[in-house]
Structure formats: C-alpha cells, structure tokens
C-alpha cells in the first residue's frame, strides 16, 4: 500500500512533467509515426497529436510551443524515416553507421515544420487573449477548441511548405495514417475533395476530440461525463471499421488495355554490378514473355532493372561494358523479341548527357519501346533526390568529401516535369519515377490528363519500412487524381492500384513475379485534380478564420 507521502508527490510529479514536457513531446512524435506503414497503428497517430495539442495548450509562452513542436518532429521523422539509414549500407564510399546520423540530421531539419505549426497556432490564438494583470504571474489558459482549429490549419500549411521548400520532402503526410488496408480507402476516401494535406488537417481535428470532450465533461454530472467519454470511443470504433473492412463503394470495373507488370527481384547489391546485368535481363525476359501470342498489351519494367544503354549516339567505350553485344540497336531488338510484336514496353533506363567524348551527366528515364525495338517516347525524372541523385552545391561540397554521399561521380539532371505520353491504342500514360509519386498535386500534366500513371521504382534501398510507405503514397495519388497507378519495382512492393486507391493485385517484397490483367479505368477528374492544393490551403484559411472568430467572441464575453 502506498504511503500518503508518495500519493501526495504524484500530482507534483505529473505537474513537473507538464512543466518540462519536451520528452513527452518527443515520445508523442515517435508514437504518431507508428500510424504509418508498415506498423499502421493509426490510433497511436491520433494519440501522439492529442498529446502534442495538450502540451501546446499548456505551454507558457510561444517559444516553448515552438520547442514542443520541434521535439515532436524530431521523434516523428527519426522513426518514420528510419529506412533512410538502410541506403547507406549499399553505398561503398560511406560507412554504414553514418546512416543513423543522416536520419537524425534530416529529422532535425524536418522537425522545424511541426515547430512552426505549433508556434503559429499558438500565436493566432494568443494574440487575442487579454494580458494578465500586472500584479500576477499567471496567464489565462489558451482556449482549446480555437487552438485545435488553428493547429489543424497551420499543420496543413506546414506540410504543404515541406512538400516544396528547398526542393521538398513530402514523404509521409500525417493524413496517410487514415488510409485503410489494401481493399479499403478508410477516411482517405475524402482525399479526392480535400487532398492529402487536407486529410492531415482532418486527422488533427479528430485527435482534438478527446480534449474537447474532456473539457465539455468537466462541469457536468456523472452521466454527462460518461457520455462525453464514450463518444470519442464510438468515433474511434467507427474509424477502425472504416479502415479495416473492404470498401463497398469502390468501383470494380475493368479497363480495355491489357498489361504485364514485372517484378524481377533484383537485389540492390547486384543492381550496378555489370557482371550481373545479363542475369538480371534474363529474369526480366522470362517474366515478360507473352502468354498468348498476338495479344496486344503494355509491359512494365521497373526503374534500375535494365542495365543496358539503349540509345544511339554514345561513344563506343560506353557500350563496350554496359550494353548487350556492345550495340544499342541489338539490345533494343532483343528486348523487342522478348515482349513480342504486338506489345509496348515502358522500362526504367539511364540516359547519358554527352559533350563529344565527355560524359557530363545522366538522366533517370523511362523509355517506351515497340516490338521491333524502336524507341517511341521517353520521359526524364524531374524531381530528383538531393544527395541521392545529385549533390547540391557540388562546387562547395565535393572538395570536403561529401561527393561520397552520391553513388558514382556524375549528377543526374532533371527533366521538364509531369508529361503524358500518348501511346495510341495502348492509352495515354503519365509517368512518375520512384520518389516523384509522393508529391501531392504535382504528378499529372493537367493540360493532357493521362489514362493511368506508371510509377517505376527501385525500392531496394529502402529497407523494410520504405516500400510499404512508398506504396501507400502511390495509393493517395491514385485517390487524389482519380487515376490508376501501376508500380513496377525491382524488389517490391509492385502493385496495380485502381482509381479508388484500392490495390487490385500486388507482388510482395523479395519475390519475383508478374501481374497480368486489364489496366483499371480512370474516373472523371476529381475536384482535387482540377484545383490541386488550392483546396487544402483554402481549408486552412477557413479553419484559421473560425479559430480567430471564436477567440474574438470569447474575449468580448469577458
């Protein structure tokens, strides 16, 4: 039995915890990241945001709110992006232990965005609260509901900023925790109207419900308190059902264009080894042969799967090591024989930028080939990965040894942006290579809407957490744009996603396989496809005005 002295000290300890709440904020951020794939423990995301809101509403001054948001972000991004550390195990020029440091350094920067969200939300509410009397040191408590509305608004804006500032890192928007299982959209069914960033704002509002009901219950009788306590539980139960059960409203229509999508299971340690190129090609070829001769189809190969340089015009030394028989024409013809005369192939490839005999740069591309081996179209990746595909400020960073962060000695150059490739009877294909698919509102050429999006990727860098997170973000793009997405990866997870974000078929990680069927049909352009991120930003503006109005009304009543 506890002593009276121990009981008396418990409230003091709890009070001390709230007065020094940065460790709880760090833990809340890590808990919130558990709602992302592969754990998908979405109640922890709600709990983490709920704790952060309680901490911010108790923060004594704006700078403390900023610090709380930063510590939250540090835990959130360090755990959610832990897969980045795995990439360093495949970089021969850098020690593997540096991967953990890279994760923390990136989290240190990304944490500024939650910090700004917390700071701005607090300032929006605080500026309208009457100052305390000079003779007292206490401050009036911040009104919770206006703060929650302001926080949802500022979180939307902070995520939008994170998606483009300094080239952007839009990985894992908070609302992705509301995306259901492979056969369910969950609350992400709202993303065609409010976008991913709007979905994040919705999650913040849901996380505020316990705090709202706690405050409603405080002055009530026992029955009222019980009702206020049970209502959030009922909402969570309904949300759990929505996130887990198959979606009864999703469309199940089939399209008219046949496809074969290939996952060769080429492990990352073999991707850039010229001695493995032929074995990798044989894997691709065996999985791509037509099952019915003479049948028209699209064939999809992943990023980094094809080792050959297949374009003409490079110096002979380039082809000697990296191209079948040292001849790009023979390489293309061989590919054409594999897919058959009635097929079209979209494959990841590397193109070079040459000046005479000198190799200036490279482009991460998708090339379209016909059954005769002729190149029909191509697309070059526009949104490159800093420190992965190019070294920012190379002239400054290379002399101090940071060029070792980037595989090889050449930078990739970006392409012009989202494009639609018109392939005639094979449909209009939009292309987003690997990382590009995570950028909400930037994956489609709005002037030439495609019938589907092809998202080739090499996820072998990304450990166990990265591939399922990557797939979830591709599902959000399908939902937002109302377009099917076909993902072909080297090691998984490859998938066919319909325009409702439902995974029709998939090949799991570290498995060689192929998917066959008809490309799911596109929907009519969604509201988000028409207006883009103007919608969540307008939503943020509305929430901010509501918050300010409530605070102003509260001030008048006083």
């Amino acid at each position: 039995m506890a002593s009276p002295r121990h009981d008396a000290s418990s409230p003091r300890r709890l009070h001390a915890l709230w007065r020094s709440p940065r460790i709880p904020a760090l833990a809340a951020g890590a808990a919130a990241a558990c709602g992302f794939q592969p754990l998908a423990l979405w109640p922890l995301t709600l709990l983490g945001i709920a704790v952060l809101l309680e901490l911010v509403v108790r923060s004594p001054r704006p700078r403390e709110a900023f610090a709380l948001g930063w510590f939250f972000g540090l835990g959130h991004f360090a755990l959610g992006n832990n897969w980045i550390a795995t990439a360093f195990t495949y970089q021969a020029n850098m020690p593997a232990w540096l991967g953990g440091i890279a994760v923390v350094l990136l989290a240190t920067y990304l944490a500024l965005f939650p910090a700004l969200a917390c700071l701005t939300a607090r300032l929006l509410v605080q500026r309208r609260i009457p100052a305390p009397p000079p003779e007292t040191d206490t401050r009036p408590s911040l009104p919770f509901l206006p703060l929650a509305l302001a926080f949802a608004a500022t979180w939307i804006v902070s995520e939008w900023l994170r998606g483009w500032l300094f080239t952007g890192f839009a990985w894992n928007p908070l609302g992705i925790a509301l995306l259901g299982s492979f056969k369910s959209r969950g609350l992400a069914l709202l993303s065609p109207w409010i976008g991913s960033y709007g979905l994040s704002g919705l999650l913040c509002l849901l996380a505020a419900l316990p705090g709202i009901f706690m405050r409603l219950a405080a002055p009530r009788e026992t029955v009222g308190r019980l009702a206020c306590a049970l209502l959030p539980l009922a909402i969570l139960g309904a949300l759990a059902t929505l996130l887990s059960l198959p979606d009864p409203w999703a469309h199940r229509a089939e399209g008219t264009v046949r496809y074969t999508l290939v996952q060769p299971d080429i492990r990352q340690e073999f991707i850039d080894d010229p001695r493995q190129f032929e074995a990798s090609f044989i894997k691709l070829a065996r999985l791509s042969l037509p099952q019915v001769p003479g049948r028209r189809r699209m064939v999809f190969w992943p990023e980094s799967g094809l080792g050959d340089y297949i374009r003409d015009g490079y110096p002979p030394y380039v082809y000697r090591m990296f191209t079948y028989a040292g001849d790009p024409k023979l390489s293309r013809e061989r590919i054409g024989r594999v897919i058959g005369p009635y097929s079209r192939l979209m494959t990841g490839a590397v193109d070079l930028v040459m000046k005479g005999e000198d190799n200036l740069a490279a482009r991460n591309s998708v090339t379209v080939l016909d059954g005769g081996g002729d190149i029909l179209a191509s697309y070059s990746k526009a949104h490159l990965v800093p420190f992965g595909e190019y070294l920012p400020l190379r002239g400054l960073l290379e002399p101090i040894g940071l060029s070792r962060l980037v595989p090889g000695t050449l930078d990739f150059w970006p392409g012009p942006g989202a494009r639609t490739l018109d392939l005639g009877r094979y449909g209009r294909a939009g292309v987003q290579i690997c990382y590009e698919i995570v950028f909400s509102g930037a994956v489609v050429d709005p002037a030439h809407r495609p019938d589907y999006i092809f998202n080739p990727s090499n996820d072998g860098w990304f450990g166990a957490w990265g591939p399922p997170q990557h797939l979830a973000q591709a599902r959000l793009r399908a939902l937002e744009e109302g377009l099917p997405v076909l993902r072909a990866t080297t090691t998984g997870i490859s998938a066919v996603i319909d325009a409702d974000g439902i995974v029709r078929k998939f090949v799991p990680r570290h498995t060689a396989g192929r998917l066959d069927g008809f490309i799911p049909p596109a929907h009519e352009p969604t509201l988000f496809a028409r207006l883009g991120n103007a919608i969540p930003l307008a939503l943020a503006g509305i929430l901010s005005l509501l918050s300010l109005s409530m605070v102003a009304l509260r001030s008048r009543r006083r």
Side-chain angles (χ1 to χ4, degrees), residues 133-175:
E135 65 273 10
T136 65
D137 293 328
T138 60
R139 292 176 178 269
S141 61
L142 295 175
F144 186 82
L145 181 55
L147 180 71
L149 293 172
F151 178 79
T154 57
W155 191 280
I156 290 172
V157 175
S158 70
E159 280 200 343
W160 173 73
L161 287 172
R162 177 161 67 90
W164 63 265
L165 198 63
F166 304 123
T167 78
F169 189 82
W171 196 272
N172 279 344
L174 193 66

Side-chain angles (χ1 to χ4, degrees), residues 111-469:
L112 293 174
F113 294 97
L116 288 172
C118 292
L119 172 65
T120 309
R122 198 188 188 289
L123 289 175
L124 281 173
V125 175
Q126 177 184 304
R127 63 189 296 235
R128 300 250 178 172
I129 298 176
E135 65 273 10
T136 65
D137 293 328
T138 60
R139 292 176 178 269
S141 61
L142 295 175
F144 186 82
L145 181 55
L147 180 71
L149 293 172
F151 178 79
T154 57
W155 191 280
I156 290 172
V157 175
S158 70
E159 280 200 343
W160 173 73
L161 287 172
R162 177 161 67 90
W164 63 265
L165 198 63
F166 304 123
T167 78
F169 189 82
W171 196 272
N172 279 344
L174 193 66
I176 207 169
L178 298 178
L179 180 64
S181 63
F182 279 9
K183 300 301 180 184
S184 170
R185 292 174 289 182
L187 277 184
L189 60 82
L190 298 175
S191 55
W193 289 275
I194 62 175
S196 295
Y197 301 138
L199 201 63
S200 296
L202 176 61
L203 187 145
C204 292
L205 294 176
L206 288 172
L209 288 179
I212 294 171
F213 287 119
M214 281 170 51
R215 286 160 176 81
L216 287 174
R220 295 176 180 269
E221 299 296 332
T222 304
V223 175
R225 293 178 184 175
L226 183 61
C228 289
L230 290 178
L231 193 53
L233 294 178
I235 293 172
L236 288 176
L239 183 56
T241 302
L242 190 62
L243 290 172
S244 59
L245 293 181
D247 193 331
W249 299 285
H251 298 269
R252 295 290 186 269
E254 293 286 352
T256 58
V257 178
R258 291 185 180 273
Y259 70 83
T260 297
L261 188 148
V262 175
Q263 178 174 298
D265 189 28
I266 303 172
R267 302 301 172 91
Q268 190 61 36
E269 54 266 32
F270 301 133
I271 286 285
D272 296 319
D273 186 349
R275 297 168 298 179
Q276 300 294 328
F277 285 173
E278 189 63 18
S280 297
F281 179 81
I282 291 171
K283 284 186 176 182
L284 285 166
R286 286 176 175 169
L287 291 167
S288 305
L289 295 171
Q291 294 177 335
V292 179
R295 180 177 284 175
R296 186 184 305 121
R297 62 178 181 149
M298 282 297 304
V299 182
F300 299 100
W301 286 0
E303 178 191 32
S304 304
L306 182 66
D308 290 10
Y309 289 117
I310 56 176
R311 288 196 173 273
D312 297 320
Y314 302 152
Y317 75 86
V318 172
Y319 301 119
R320 196 172 297 124
M321 179 177 293
F322 297 106
T323 303
Y324 170 72
D327 188 332
K329 186 174 185 296
L330 293 177
S331 177
R332 296 195 303 269
E333 290 176 349
R334 180 171 72 152
I335 294 170
R337 289 193 297 271
V338 167
I339 63 173
Y342 299 98
S343 298
R344 298 289 183 269
L345 170 70
M346 297 186 77
T347 179
V350 173
D351 295 335
L352 300 178
V353 181
M354 306 294 300
K355 184 176 181 180
E357 295 285 313
D358 297 326
N359 191 180
L360 299 181
R363 294 190 188 275
N364 190 349
S365 302
V366 163
T367 302
V368 184
L369 297 171
D370 65 13
D374 292 325
I375 295 177
L376 303 180
S378 66
Y379 166 86
S380 294
K381 185 177 182 181
H383 212 124
L384 301 173
V385 181
F387 299 103
E389 292 174 306
Y390 71 98
L391 183 66
L393 304 174
R394 180 175 282 274
L396 295 175
L397 299 183
E398 189 169 27
I400 61 175
L402 290 187
S403 62
R404 293 182 295 170
L405 288 167
V406 182
T409 57
L410 294 174
D411 285 336
F412 282 86
W413 283 3
R419 294 290 183 273
T420 298
L421 308 179
D422 191 345
L423 305 180
R425 291 181 294 180
Y426 300 85
R428 298 184 301 276
V431 185
Q432 291 290 289
I433 299 175
C434 192
Y435 172 69
E436 288 185 303
I437 199 69
V438 309
F439 292 93
S440 176
V443 298
V444 168
D445 178 1
H448 303 90
R449 180 174 166 84
D451 299 317
Y452 56 89
I453 298 172
F454 176 44
N455 175 222
S457 186
N458 170 17
D459 287 0
W461 296 92
F462 298 161
W465 285 46
Q469 291 178 3

